[in-house]
Short mmCIF file of all heavy atoms in Angstrom, two decimals:
data_model
loop_
_atom_site.label_atom_id
_atom_site.label_comp_id
_atom_site.label_asym_id
_atom_site.label_seq_id
_atom_site.Cartn_x
_atom_site.Cartn_y
_atom_site.Cartn_z
N GLU A 17 0.32 23.01 -18.58
CA GLU A 17 0.80 21.65 -18.30
C GLU A 17 1.61 21.10 -19.47
O GLU A 17 2.63 20.45 -19.28
CB GLU A 17 -0.38 20.72 -18.00
CG GLU A 17 0.05 19.31 -17.60
CD GLU A 17 -1.11 18.43 -17.17
OE1 GLU A 17 -2.28 18.88 -17.25
OE2 GLU A 17 -0.85 17.28 -16.76
N GLY A 18 1.15 21.36 -20.69
CA GLY A 18 1.85 20.89 -21.89
C GLY A 18 1.31 19.57 -22.38
O GLY A 18 0.91 18.70 -21.58
N LEU A 19 1.28 19.39 -23.69
CA LEU A 19 0.68 18.19 -24.27
C LEU A 19 1.34 16.91 -23.79
O LEU A 19 0.66 15.95 -23.38
CB LEU A 19 0.73 18.25 -25.80
CG LEU A 19 -0.25 19.19 -26.50
CD1 LEU A 19 -0.02 19.16 -28.01
CD2 LEU A 19 -1.69 18.82 -26.17
N GLU A 20 2.67 16.85 -23.82
CA GLU A 20 3.36 15.62 -23.44
C GLU A 20 3.09 15.27 -21.99
O GLU A 20 2.91 14.09 -21.65
CB GLU A 20 4.87 15.75 -23.70
CG GLU A 20 5.23 15.84 -25.17
CD GLU A 20 4.69 14.67 -25.98
OE1 GLU A 20 4.76 13.53 -25.49
OE2 GLU A 20 4.19 14.92 -27.10
N ALA A 21 3.04 16.27 -21.12
CA ALA A 21 2.76 16.02 -19.71
C ALA A 21 1.32 15.53 -19.51
O ALA A 21 1.06 14.66 -18.68
CB ALA A 21 3.01 17.28 -18.89
N ILE A 22 0.40 16.09 -20.27
CA ILE A 22 -1.00 15.65 -20.19
C ILE A 22 -1.12 14.18 -20.59
O ILE A 22 -1.76 13.38 -19.90
CB ILE A 22 -1.90 16.53 -21.09
CG1 ILE A 22 -2.01 17.95 -20.53
CG2 ILE A 22 -3.29 15.91 -21.24
CD1 ILE A 22 -2.69 18.93 -21.47
N PHE A 23 -0.49 13.83 -21.71
CA PHE A 23 -0.58 12.44 -22.18
C PHE A 23 0.11 11.50 -21.18
O PHE A 23 -0.39 10.39 -20.92
CB PHE A 23 0.08 12.31 -23.56
CG PHE A 23 -0.49 13.23 -24.61
CD1 PHE A 23 0.29 13.68 -25.67
CD2 PHE A 23 -1.81 13.67 -24.54
CE1 PHE A 23 -0.22 14.53 -26.62
CE2 PHE A 23 -2.34 14.52 -25.50
CZ PHE A 23 -1.54 14.96 -26.55
N ALA A 24 1.24 11.92 -20.63
CA ALA A 24 1.96 11.08 -19.66
C ALA A 24 1.13 10.87 -18.40
O ALA A 24 1.12 9.77 -17.83
CB ALA A 24 3.31 11.72 -19.32
N ARG A 25 0.44 11.92 -17.96
CA ARG A 25 -0.40 11.80 -16.76
C ARG A 25 -1.51 10.78 -16.97
O ARG A 25 -1.77 9.92 -16.10
CB ARG A 25 -0.98 13.18 -16.40
CG ARG A 25 -2.03 13.14 -15.30
CD ARG A 25 -2.34 14.54 -14.77
NE ARG A 25 -2.73 15.48 -15.81
CZ ARG A 25 -3.98 15.62 -16.26
NH1 ARG A 25 -4.96 14.87 -15.79
NH2 ARG A 25 -4.26 16.53 -17.19
N HIS A 26 -2.17 10.85 -18.11
CA HIS A 26 -3.25 9.90 -18.37
C HIS A 26 -2.71 8.47 -18.52
O HIS A 26 -3.35 7.51 -18.06
CB HIS A 26 -4.02 10.33 -19.62
CG HIS A 26 -4.97 11.47 -19.38
ND1 HIS A 26 -4.57 12.79 -19.41
CD2 HIS A 26 -6.29 11.48 -19.09
CE1 HIS A 26 -5.61 13.57 -19.16
NE2 HIS A 26 -6.67 12.80 -18.95
N SER A 27 -1.57 8.32 -19.14
CA SER A 27 -0.97 6.99 -19.26
C SER A 27 -0.60 6.44 -17.89
O SER A 27 -0.78 5.24 -17.61
CB SER A 27 0.28 7.05 -20.14
OG SER A 27 -0.06 7.36 -21.47
N ARG A 28 -0.08 7.31 -17.02
CA ARG A 28 0.29 6.89 -15.67
C ARG A 28 -0.93 6.45 -14.87
O ARG A 28 -0.90 5.44 -14.16
CB ARG A 28 1.01 8.05 -14.97
CG ARG A 28 1.67 7.67 -13.66
CD ARG A 28 2.52 8.80 -13.11
NE ARG A 28 1.73 9.93 -12.64
CZ ARG A 28 1.68 11.11 -13.22
NH1 ARG A 28 2.36 11.33 -14.35
NH2 ARG A 28 0.95 12.09 -12.72
N HIS A 29 -2.02 7.17 -15.01
CA HIS A 29 -3.24 6.81 -14.28
C HIS A 29 -3.85 5.52 -14.82
O HIS A 29 -4.42 4.73 -14.06
CB HIS A 29 -4.25 7.96 -14.33
CG HIS A 29 -3.81 9.16 -13.55
ND1 HIS A 29 -4.39 10.40 -13.68
CD2 HIS A 29 -2.84 9.29 -12.60
CE1 HIS A 29 -3.79 11.25 -12.85
NE2 HIS A 29 -2.85 10.60 -12.19
N ARG A 30 -3.74 5.30 -16.11
CA ARG A 30 -4.18 4.02 -16.67
C ARG A 30 -3.34 2.88 -16.08
O ARG A 30 -3.89 1.87 -15.64
CB ARG A 30 -4.04 4.03 -18.19
CG ARG A 30 -4.23 2.65 -18.83
CD ARG A 30 -4.10 2.70 -20.35
NE ARG A 30 -2.82 3.27 -20.77
CZ ARG A 30 -2.54 3.65 -22.02
NH1 ARG A 30 -3.45 3.52 -22.97
NH2 ARG A 30 -1.37 4.15 -22.32
N ALA A 31 -2.03 3.06 -16.08
CA ALA A 31 -1.14 2.01 -15.56
C ALA A 31 -1.41 1.73 -14.09
O ALA A 31 -1.44 0.56 -13.66
CB ALA A 31 0.32 2.42 -15.76
N ALA A 32 -1.64 2.78 -13.31
CA ALA A 32 -1.91 2.60 -11.89
C ALA A 32 -3.24 1.88 -11.66
O ALA A 32 -3.34 0.98 -10.80
CB ALA A 32 -1.91 3.95 -11.18
N SER A 33 -4.25 2.26 -12.41
CA SER A 33 -5.56 1.63 -12.27
C SER A 33 -5.50 0.16 -12.67
O SER A 33 -6.07 -0.71 -12.00
CB SER A 33 -6.60 2.36 -13.11
OG SER A 33 -6.72 3.71 -12.70
N HIS A 34 -4.81 -0.13 -13.76
CA HIS A 34 -4.67 -1.51 -14.22
C HIS A 34 -3.93 -2.35 -13.17
O HIS A 34 -4.36 -3.47 -12.83
CB HIS A 34 -3.90 -1.56 -15.54
CG HIS A 34 -4.71 -1.12 -16.72
ND1 HIS A 34 -4.34 -1.39 -18.02
CD2 HIS A 34 -5.87 -0.43 -16.81
CE1 HIS A 34 -5.23 -0.89 -18.85
NE2 HIS A 34 -6.17 -0.29 -18.14
N ALA A 35 -2.82 -1.82 -12.66
CA ALA A 35 -2.04 -2.56 -11.67
C ALA A 35 -2.85 -2.82 -10.41
O ALA A 35 -2.79 -3.92 -9.83
CB ALA A 35 -0.76 -1.78 -11.34
N ALA A 36 -3.62 -1.82 -10.00
CA ALA A 36 -4.42 -1.96 -8.78
C ALA A 36 -5.48 -3.04 -8.94
O ALA A 36 -5.66 -3.90 -8.06
CB ALA A 36 -5.07 -0.62 -8.43
N MET A 37 -6.20 -3.03 -10.03
CA MET A 37 -7.27 -4.00 -10.22
C MET A 37 -6.71 -5.42 -10.32
O MET A 37 -7.27 -6.37 -9.78
CB MET A 37 -8.09 -3.66 -11.47
CG MET A 37 -8.87 -2.35 -11.37
SD MET A 37 -10.02 -2.25 -9.96
CE MET A 37 -9.10 -1.17 -8.84
N LYS A 38 -5.58 -5.58 -10.99
CA LYS A 38 -4.95 -6.89 -11.09
C LYS A 38 -4.50 -7.39 -9.72
O LYS A 38 -4.65 -8.57 -9.38
CB LYS A 38 -3.78 -6.85 -12.06
CG LYS A 38 -4.18 -6.67 -13.53
CD LYS A 38 -2.95 -6.56 -14.43
CE LYS A 38 -3.33 -6.40 -15.89
NZ LYS A 38 -2.14 -6.25 -16.77
N ALA A 39 -3.97 -6.48 -8.90
CA ALA A 39 -3.50 -6.87 -7.56
C ALA A 39 -4.66 -7.28 -6.66
O ALA A 39 -4.51 -8.16 -5.81
CB ALA A 39 -2.73 -5.71 -6.94
N ILE A 40 -5.80 -6.66 -6.87
CA ILE A 40 -6.99 -7.00 -6.09
C ILE A 40 -7.58 -8.34 -6.55
O ILE A 40 -8.28 -9.02 -5.81
CB ILE A 40 -8.05 -5.88 -6.20
CG1 ILE A 40 -7.54 -4.59 -5.57
CG2 ILE A 40 -9.35 -6.27 -5.52
CD1 ILE A 40 -8.42 -3.38 -5.83
N GLY A 41 -7.26 -8.70 -7.80
CA GLY A 41 -7.80 -9.93 -8.36
C GLY A 41 -9.02 -9.71 -9.23
O GLY A 41 -9.79 -10.65 -9.49
N LEU A 42 -9.17 -8.48 -9.71
CA LEU A 42 -10.30 -8.16 -10.58
C LEU A 42 -9.81 -8.07 -12.03
O LEU A 42 -8.96 -7.24 -12.34
CB LEU A 42 -10.95 -6.83 -10.18
CG LEU A 42 -11.49 -6.74 -8.75
CD1 LEU A 42 -12.12 -5.38 -8.52
CD2 LEU A 42 -12.50 -7.85 -8.48
N PRO A 43 -10.34 -8.90 -12.94
CA PRO A 43 -9.88 -8.89 -14.33
C PRO A 43 -10.27 -7.60 -15.05
O PRO A 43 -11.34 -7.03 -14.81
CB PRO A 43 -10.60 -10.10 -14.96
CG PRO A 43 -11.11 -10.91 -13.82
CD PRO A 43 -11.34 -9.95 -12.69
N LEU A 44 -9.39 -7.16 -15.94
CA LEU A 44 -9.71 -6.03 -16.81
C LEU A 44 -10.57 -6.52 -17.96
O LEU A 44 -10.43 -7.65 -18.42
CB LEU A 44 -8.43 -5.39 -17.34
CG LEU A 44 -7.45 -4.87 -16.28
CD1 LEU A 44 -6.21 -4.31 -16.95
CD2 LEU A 44 -8.10 -3.83 -15.38
N PHE A 45 -11.45 -5.65 -18.45
CA PHE A 45 -12.33 -6.04 -19.55
C PHE A 45 -11.68 -5.84 -20.91
O PHE A 45 -11.85 -6.64 -21.82
CB PHE A 45 -13.65 -5.26 -19.49
CG PHE A 45 -14.66 -5.71 -20.51
CD1 PHE A 45 -15.30 -6.94 -20.39
CD2 PHE A 45 -14.95 -4.92 -21.61
CE1 PHE A 45 -16.21 -7.36 -21.34
CE2 PHE A 45 -15.86 -5.33 -22.56
CZ PHE A 45 -16.50 -6.57 -22.43
N ALA A 46 -10.92 -4.75 -21.06
CA ALA A 46 -10.27 -4.47 -22.35
C ALA A 46 -9.13 -5.44 -22.58
O ALA A 46 -8.44 -5.87 -21.65
CB ALA A 46 -9.76 -3.03 -22.38
N ALA A 47 -8.92 -5.78 -23.84
CA ALA A 47 -7.82 -6.67 -24.20
C ALA A 47 -6.49 -6.08 -23.74
O ALA A 47 -6.30 -4.86 -23.77
CB ALA A 47 -7.80 -6.89 -25.72
N GLU A 48 -5.59 -6.94 -23.30
CA GLU A 48 -4.28 -6.51 -22.80
C GLU A 48 -3.56 -5.66 -23.85
O GLU A 48 -3.46 -6.02 -25.02
CB GLU A 48 -3.43 -7.73 -22.46
CG GLU A 48 -2.12 -7.41 -21.78
CD GLU A 48 -2.28 -6.90 -20.36
OE1 GLU A 48 -3.25 -7.31 -19.69
OE2 GLU A 48 -1.43 -6.09 -19.93
N GLY A 49 -3.08 -4.50 -23.41
CA GLY A 49 -2.35 -3.62 -24.30
C GLY A 49 -3.21 -2.64 -25.05
O GLY A 49 -2.69 -1.78 -25.78
N PHE A 50 -4.54 -2.73 -24.88
CA PHE A 50 -5.44 -1.83 -25.61
C PHE A 50 -6.35 -1.05 -24.66
O PHE A 50 -7.44 -0.63 -25.05
CB PHE A 50 -6.27 -2.62 -26.62
CG PHE A 50 -5.45 -3.16 -27.76
CD1 PHE A 50 -4.95 -4.45 -27.71
CD2 PHE A 50 -5.14 -2.37 -28.86
CE1 PHE A 50 -4.18 -4.96 -28.75
CE2 PHE A 50 -4.37 -2.87 -29.90
CZ PHE A 50 -3.89 -4.17 -29.85
N GLY A 51 -5.91 -0.85 -23.42
CA GLY A 51 -6.70 -0.07 -22.48
C GLY A 51 -6.64 1.41 -22.80
O GLY A 51 -5.59 1.95 -23.12
N SER A 52 -7.78 2.07 -22.71
CA SER A 52 -7.83 3.51 -22.97
C SER A 52 -7.19 4.28 -21.83
O SER A 52 -7.36 3.93 -20.66
CB SER A 52 -9.29 3.94 -23.13
OG SER A 52 -9.39 5.36 -23.13
N PRO A 53 -6.46 5.36 -22.14
CA PRO A 53 -5.91 6.20 -21.08
C PRO A 53 -6.99 7.03 -20.37
O PRO A 53 -6.70 7.68 -19.37
CB PRO A 53 -4.92 7.11 -21.81
CG PRO A 53 -5.44 7.17 -23.21
CD PRO A 53 -6.04 5.82 -23.48
N ALA A 54 -8.21 6.98 -20.89
CA ALA A 54 -9.29 7.77 -20.31
C ALA A 54 -10.10 7.00 -19.27
O ALA A 54 -10.67 7.60 -18.36
CB ALA A 54 -10.24 8.26 -21.41
N ILE A 55 -10.16 5.67 -19.40
CA ILE A 55 -11.06 4.90 -18.55
C ILE A 55 -10.61 3.44 -18.49
O ILE A 55 -10.13 2.89 -19.48
CB ILE A 55 -12.50 4.99 -19.08
CG1 ILE A 55 -13.47 4.30 -18.13
CG2 ILE A 55 -12.64 4.46 -20.50
CD1 ILE A 55 -14.92 4.69 -18.36
N THR A 56 -10.76 2.85 -17.32
CA THR A 56 -10.43 1.45 -17.11
C THR A 56 -11.72 0.68 -16.85
O THR A 56 -12.46 0.99 -15.91
CB THR A 56 -9.47 1.28 -15.92
OG1 THR A 56 -8.22 1.88 -16.24
CG2 THR A 56 -9.25 -0.19 -15.58
N ALA A 57 -11.99 -0.31 -17.70
CA ALA A 57 -13.18 -1.16 -17.53
C ALA A 57 -12.75 -2.44 -16.81
O ALA A 57 -11.77 -3.08 -17.19
CB ALA A 57 -13.79 -1.48 -18.89
N VAL A 58 -13.52 -2.80 -15.78
CA VAL A 58 -13.19 -3.94 -14.93
C VAL A 58 -14.36 -4.92 -14.96
O VAL A 58 -15.52 -4.53 -14.84
CB VAL A 58 -12.92 -3.49 -13.49
CG1 VAL A 58 -12.45 -4.65 -12.62
CG2 VAL A 58 -11.92 -2.34 -13.46
N ALA A 59 -14.04 -6.22 -15.11
CA ALA A 59 -15.06 -7.27 -15.15
C ALA A 59 -14.90 -8.16 -13.93
O ALA A 59 -14.20 -9.17 -13.98
CB ALA A 59 -14.94 -8.08 -16.44
N PRO A 60 -15.52 -7.81 -12.81
CA PRO A 60 -15.31 -8.55 -11.56
C PRO A 60 -16.10 -9.86 -11.53
O PRO A 60 -17.26 -9.90 -11.11
CB PRO A 60 -15.81 -7.57 -10.50
CG PRO A 60 -16.88 -6.79 -11.19
CD PRO A 60 -16.46 -6.69 -12.64
N ASN A 61 -15.49 -10.92 -11.97
CA ASN A 61 -16.17 -12.22 -12.05
C ASN A 61 -16.79 -12.61 -10.71
O ASN A 61 -16.14 -12.55 -9.67
CB ASN A 61 -15.17 -13.31 -12.47
CG ASN A 61 -14.69 -13.12 -13.89
OD1 ASN A 61 -15.36 -12.50 -14.71
ND2 ASN A 61 -13.50 -13.63 -14.20
N GLY A 62 -18.07 -12.96 -10.77
CA GLY A 62 -18.75 -13.41 -9.57
C GLY A 62 -19.17 -12.29 -8.64
O GLY A 62 -19.65 -12.55 -7.53
N ILE A 63 -19.00 -11.06 -9.05
CA ILE A 63 -19.37 -9.91 -8.22
C ILE A 63 -20.36 -9.05 -8.99
O ILE A 63 -20.17 -8.79 -10.19
CB ILE A 63 -18.12 -9.07 -7.86
CG1 ILE A 63 -17.15 -9.91 -7.01
CG2 ILE A 63 -18.51 -7.80 -7.12
CD1 ILE A 63 -15.83 -9.20 -6.73
N ASP A 64 -21.42 -8.61 -8.33
CA ASP A 64 -22.39 -7.72 -8.95
C ASP A 64 -21.77 -6.33 -9.05
O ASP A 64 -21.61 -5.64 -8.03
CB ASP A 64 -23.67 -7.69 -8.11
CG ASP A 64 -24.77 -6.85 -8.75
OD1 ASP A 64 -24.46 -6.04 -9.64
OD2 ASP A 64 -25.93 -7.00 -8.34
#
C-alpha cells in the first residue's frame, strides 16, 4: 500500500467520520483540529 497511502487512508476516514457525526448533530469530543486518525470520539449530548 505504501506509507503515504496508509496515512492518507486514515486521514480520509477521520474526515469522513467527523463530517458524518457533525451532520447527524453529534458533537465531537476531541478539540477541533486535534482528532486522531485512528479513532473518533463522540459526545452525544443528552444520549446514553
Side-chain angles (χ1 to χ4, degrees):
E17 185 174 4
L19 286 178
E20 293 304 319
I22 291 171
F23 304 151
R25 171 167 55 85
H26 283 84
S27 293
R28 191 172 69 249
H29 291 165
R30 170 179 56 192
S33 299
H34 285 196
M37 294 304 104
K38 290 177 180 178
I40 296 171
L42 301 181
L44 302 178
F45 186 71
E48 187 70 31
F50 291 94
S52 169
I55 186 163
T56 294
V58 186
N61 293 335
I63 297 174
D64 184 343

